[in-house]
Amino acid sequence: MDSFKESQRQIRIALLAVAVILPIGIVGFMLIERFSILDSVWLTVITLATIGYGDIYARTEAGRVFTVFLILFGLGAVAYGLQATATFFLSPAIRDLRRHRHNERVIAALKNHYIVCGSGELVDNTIQIVLGRAKRRIQSQQQRIEAPIENLLQQIFGDSKFLPVRLIRLLLKNTLFTIIHLLNRQSTILDSVVVVTPDSQFAEHLRQNKCLVIEGDPTNNDILIRAGIAHAQAMMVILDNDTEVILTILTARNLSAELEITAAAVDDHLAAQMIRVGANNVLAHYDVAGSFLNNITLRPAVNDFFSSILLNEINDVATIELYLGDSASWVGQRIDDLQLQDRFHAAIIGIRLEDGTYRYAPSGDVCLNEGEIVIAVVPVQSAQTLYEDCHKDDSRRKRIAPWQRMPPHPPLIHKPARIYTLQEAETAVQEMSHHFVICGTNRVARNAINKLDPNRPFVIISDDTAYITELIERGFRVIQGRSTDETILHKAGLDRALAVMVAMEDNPTSVLTILNCRTISKKLLITTTAQTNDMIPKLHRAGADRVITPYQVAAAFILLATTRPAVNDFLQYVLFNRAGGIETTELYMQTDSPWIGQSIQSLHLADHFEAGVIGLRDEKGHYHYAPSIHHIVQPHDVLIVVTPMKFSDLLRERAHGNISTRPLSLRRVQS
């Protein structure tokens, strides 16, 4: 900025010098050479511009001397001014100013966009997900453009190895690709995200990644107005201070009553207050990370299934929500009549009913009604076509009216069947197998443990005396000691366990614990948390199967809750919903399963268990969403089934053939 002001000062000096020299030259030629005022102006200008046409020139000695001094002083002033002007317009400050003004114009033109308020690691992880999705969409678009071009050039040129022909082919390919890409460029989520941040360094970091940024305080009305809040579809509030989060929510809600607001709470206890002041949804990132860690440990196949269709879209499959307004062409039609699988390779896994409840795994004879929201899984390249088929009479994108979620339910306190002393716990663990071991008592681990039923086969290792007392009172089986001690791991029955969850405060302890666990059992599923992203590959090398960071998980779910609220609510409804008594479980079809060889339809899951199959993992590890009711269950299939909790144990007993049967291993070694 100092160089910017210095350039301005130099330009002012140069303009002042020229303003003085120009009249002196005009008056001087009029007095010395007796030229007219027009000729004097002409000669002064062409002298200072070094043009010198020769039609008018100084003829007297005094006039020539005057001209020499005019050239010396005048050219110096002009050159000084040109240099200052060039420096001014080429300076980084001017470049930044032009970029800021361009961003402001782009933001002012946005409609139905998303606003992200905040700074720090959680916001950075959110933006990284957005950048990743934008990159994948661009790559997917490029592949779709290149394929027909390659086919056309192949038909024209064949497989000619002649160098001139190959050069012409390459030139045509690049030219056609550029033209088609410019004419058919599709927008990405990055084009519709505006970040409001008070951190100037973070703002510059985002601008370098081609993000739209407004630098300022998100609690300020003017800043949110500049971010286009009046025309925004939704907003994410991710700040380090919960008080600032509440103030931002109040400011945003005052400016827009229709805005969908998702907030991230640092303190779990303030989530309810954020809902009360106007947030539609509140996520506490340690709580979200704890739930996710539970899921990847206890139900890894369920976790992978939902991750593949909801969070990362690595497999070019997306889950979208389709609002059935009064003009939607699907209203009044049966699901089977839509022939979604045949026409779009798509399937409906859920429906949000008009009363706000969800229907999971709907059968083909279900009739779709106005006001419902369809949750459909579809290949990314067919998503827009599917949307247009649903809204044939209305090509304009409809905004789903926001609804306010209820504050998170307090942790359900399970009544333990019995209370174990430390000695009794050691004795009980010796008789256990196919159980789950939890190592660690950090914030993520405690949130995870708070959601567990102590009557289930869990063993917790801890050396925190106060926390051990709390766990014993709640009915958990606890082994006292350090998880880095192999003797303690053996006491926890690790060699007979299905999985171990490792969530430590420091990285070295995590690495050593994982190394010891992997040494004890090669079949064991090991899940863990990483404090930083650079620790992820190190923990994998130590032997962990699944590694998460709290900020990455929270960012993914905040983005999902904001951009696809109905999809997010459906996930929360079916995954592990204590309030509704619903859960999604995984059923392993081992070689002795009585279901092998039967079709999904013949199992009558809806009739007997109020259950529905929304996904399937085959023997090769590939996931299939909403498999056909005619699918024949094969050995080593894993069925992803949504069912009321009251039927889950009975369902597993029927699927496995025995209540005590458990999968041989939850671990799938990635190739």
Side-chain angles (χ1 to χ4, degrees):
M1 189 57 69
D2 291 339
S3 62
F4 177 73
K5 292 180 179 179
E6 177 62 21
S7 297
Q8 286 183 314
R9 188 185 68 82
Q10 292 175 358
I11 291 174
R12 286 195 293 268
I13 293 173
L15 290 174
L16 180 61
V18 172
V20 172
I21 292 171
L22 190 63
I24 290 174
I26 294 171
V27 173
F29 284 126
M30 290 177 65
L31 296 176
I32 297 172
E33 296 293 335
R34 305 295 180 181
F35 289 155
S36 67
I37 185 170
L38 181 60
D39 287 344
S40 297
V41 170
W42 175 252
L43 182 56
T44 301
V45 171
I46 65 175
T47 299
L48 294 178
T50 68
I51 296 175
Y53 290 111
D55 54 343
I56 300 175
Y57 55 91
R59 300 178 186 279
T60 65
E61 290 184 1
R64 290 172 180 171
V65 171
F66 176 77
T67 302
V68 169
F69 281 100
L70 181 65
I71 291 172
L72 291 175
F73 289 101
L75 284 182
V78 171
Y80 182 77
L82 291 174
Q83 178 267 333
T85 303
T87 301
F88 178 80
F89 284 105
L90 296 177
S91 68
I94 285 294
R95 184 180 66 246
D96 291 343
L97 181 62
R98 288 198 302 267
R99 184 173 60 184
H100 291 173
R101 289 178 175 174
H102 172 74
N103 284 352
E104 295 272 359
R105 289 194 298 271
V106 172
I107 292 170
L110 289 176
K111 306 289 182 185
N112 292 328
H113 58 290
Y114 304 98
I115 300 174
V116 181
C117 298
S119 61
E121 191 170 357
L122 186 53
V123 177
D124 194 41
N125 275 277
T126 303
I127 297 302
Q128 290 303 318
I129 295 173
V130 171
L131 291 171
R133 288 186 181 178
K135 182 179 179 180
R136 288 196 295 273
R137 186 177 179 90
I138 291 171
Q139 290 174 342
S140 177
Q141 182 190 12
Q142 290 175 343
Q143 291 171 358
R144 290 197 299 271
I145 292 174
E146 286 180 352
I149 292 176
E150 282 288 354
N151 292 336
L152 175 63
L153 295 178
Q154 181 65 26
Q155 293 176 6
I156 297 174
F157 297 103
D159 296 320
S160 175
K161 304 296 183 183
F162 189 45
L163 183 59
V165 173
R166 293 174 62 187
L167 292 175
I168 293 172
R169 176 173 178 161
L170 181 62
L171 179 62
L172 281 174
K173 177 182 177 180
N174 292 336
T175 303
L176 290 172
F177 178 83
T178 303
I179 293 172
I180 296 174
H181 181 71
L182 290 174
L183 293 176
N184 296 278
R185 182 185 179 275
Q186 295 182 7
S187 62
T188 67
I189 189 173
L190 186 63
D191 300 315
S192 58
V193 173
V194 178
V195 182
V196 177
T197 178
D199 188 332
S200 57
Q201 291 185 344
F202 185 60
E204 183 57 32
H205 164 70
L206 295 175
R207 291 189 190 103
Q208 291 175 359
N209 283 285
K210 300 181 179 179
C211 297
L212 297 172
V213 182
I214 298 289
E215 188 176 331
D217 183 0
T219 64
N220 186 303
N221 282 14
D222 294 335
I223 294 296
L224 293 183
I225 290 171
R226 284 173 55 197
I229 193 171
H231 306 292
Q233 180 176 171
M235 184 170 82
M236 290 167 263
V237 186
I238 310 171
L239 298 166
D240 294 331
N241 186 297
D242 282 338
T243 302
E244 294 293 316
V245 171
I246 292 173
L247 289 175
T248 302
I249 294 170
L250 285 167
T251 304
R253 184 56 71 209
N254 183 56
L255 293 173
S256 176
E258 299 297 321
L259 188 69
E260 175 89 17
I261 301 177
T262 302
V266 178
D267 187 343
D268 304 357
H269 302 294
L270 289 178
Q273 284 86 333
M274 293 177 185
I275 291 286
R276 293 191 189 100
V277 299
N280 299 91
N281 199 7
V282 178
L283 300 175
H285 49 276
Y286 286 111
D287 184 66
V288 171
S291 297
F292 195 82
L293 187 59
N294 272 343
N295 210 44
I296 65 173
T297 307
L298 310 180
R299 294 172 291 178
V302 169
N303 176 80
D304 288 351
F305 171 75
F306 280 118
S307 294
S308 68
I309 65 173
L310 294 181
L311 301 180
N312 50 36
E313 299 174 11
I314 290 176
N315 300 319
D316 288 330
V317 176
T319 306
I320 62 175
E321 52 192 45
L322 300 163
Y323 175 68
L324 303 183
D326 54 4
S327 62
S329 59
W330 289 6
V331 172
Q333 295 197 52
R334 293 169 62 250
I335 293 177
D336 275 348
D337 295 338
L338 296 175
Q339 299 180 329
L340 299 181
Q341 185 64 45
D342 295 335
R343 295 193 295 148
F344 308 104
H345 301 290
I348 296 175
I349 61 172
I351 302 172
R352 184 181 190 270
L353 305 178
E354 198 169 9
D355 63 2
T357 60
Y358 283 88
R359 173 179 287 160
Y360 51 85
S363 62
D365 59 357
V366 169
C367 185
L368 301 176
N369 301 308
E370 182 181 343
E372 295 177 344
I373 301 175
V374 172
I375 313 298
V377 184
V378 60
V380 171
Q381 62 270 23
S382 301
Q384 183 61 31
T385 310
L386 183 69
Y387 179 85
E388 292 170 355
D389 185 80
C390 180
H391 300 99
K392 287 180 179 177
D393 300 327
D394 184 9
S395 59
R396 180 178 62 86
R397 178 175 176 82
K398 283 185 174 292
R399 285 180 60 178
I400 301 172
W403 61 89
Q404 191 172 56
R405 284 68 164 174
M406 295 301 293
H409 291 279
L412 180 64
I413 305 301
H414 295 274
K415 184 177 181 180
R418 62 170 293 184
I419 302 296
Y420 294 89
T421 65
L422 290 175
Q423 185 59 47
E424 289 172 341
E426 285 191 22
T427 303
V429 170
Q430 291 175 7
E431 300 174 358
M432 294 175 65
S433 64
H434 296 89
H435 56 287
F436 300 88
V437 179
I438 302 172
C439 302
T441 53
N442 67 9
R443 194 167 177 181
V444 176
R446 293 187 185 223
N447 274 280
I449 292 170
N450 285 342
K451 297 174 175 58
L452 300 179
D453 181 352
N455 300 312
R456 297 289 184 176
F458 299 117
V459 177
I460 302 174
I461 298 175
S462 176
D463 59 354
D464 185 329
T465 305
Y467 192 53
I468 288 173
T469 301
E470 177 188 333
L471 292 173
I472 289 175
E473 291 174 353
R474 290 166 57 185
F476 284 101
R477 303 168 189 86
V478 182
I479 301 297
Q480 185 173 18
R482 295 181 179 275
S483 59
T484 53
D485 187 339
E486 285 193 45
T487 304
I488 297 298
L489 294 176
H490 279 291
K491 282 185 178 181
L494 200 74
D495 55 322
R496 305 182 304 277
L498 275 176
V500 59
M501 177 195 302
V502 180
M504 301 295 186
E505 293 287 355
D506 63 284
N507 293 323
T509 305
S510 294
V511 171
L512 184 55
T513 299
I514 293 168
L515 285 169
N516 288 338
C517 290
R518 182 56 70 213
T519 300
I520 292 173
S521 174
K522 301 300 181 184
K523 292 184 177 182
L524 188 71
L525 173 69
I526 302 177
T527 64
T528 187
T529 59
Q531 303 301 318
T532 55
N533 291 341
D534 64 303
M535 279 301 300
I536 295 176
K538 297 176 183 178
L539 292 169
H540 277 302
R541 288 197 295 272
D545 297 291
R546 315 291 177 88
V547 183
I548 68 166
T549 68
Y551 288 113
Q552 279 186 339
V553 171
F557 277 94
I558 288 171
L559 196 60
L560 178 66
T562 305
T563 58
R564 292 173 288 172
V567 172
N568 176 72
D569 280 4
F570 175 73
L571 174 63
Q572 302 305 322
Y573 181 81
V574 301
L575 194 56
F576 196 74
N577 178 4
R578 285 201 185 98
I582 303 294
E583 72 170 307
T584 303
T585 188
E586 53 194 47
L587 303 175
Y588 289 76
M589 300 296 104
Q590 297 175 134
T591 53
D592 57 348
S593 170
W595 286 6
I596 292 175
Q598 298 188 54
S599 68
I600 292 176
Q601 183 179 32
S602 67
L603 297 175
H604 300 291
L605 299 180
D607 298 332
H608 297 157
F609 308 102
E610 300 176 23
V613 180
I614 62 172
L616 180 148
R617 188 182 78 190
D618 62 26
E619 186 177 5
K620 296 181 179 179
H622 300 145
Y623 282 89
H624 307 269
Y625 50 87
S628 168
I629 60 174
H630 304 297
H631 172 81
I632 304 300
V633 178
Q634 303 294 323
H636 307 298
D637 279 351
V638 181
L639 301 183
I640 312 298
V641 181
V642 183
T643 182
M645 291 179 179
K646 61 184 179 181
F647 294 124
S648 58
D649 285 340
L650 179 61
L651 187 63
R652 282 190 283 268
E653 179 184 352
R654 296 288 177 84
H656 298 153
N658 190 296
I659 188 62
S660 61
T661 301
R662 293 289 186 272
L664 297 178
S665 174
L666 296 179
R667 187 185 187 213
R668 289 190 64 87
V669 180
Q670 303 299 319
S671 58

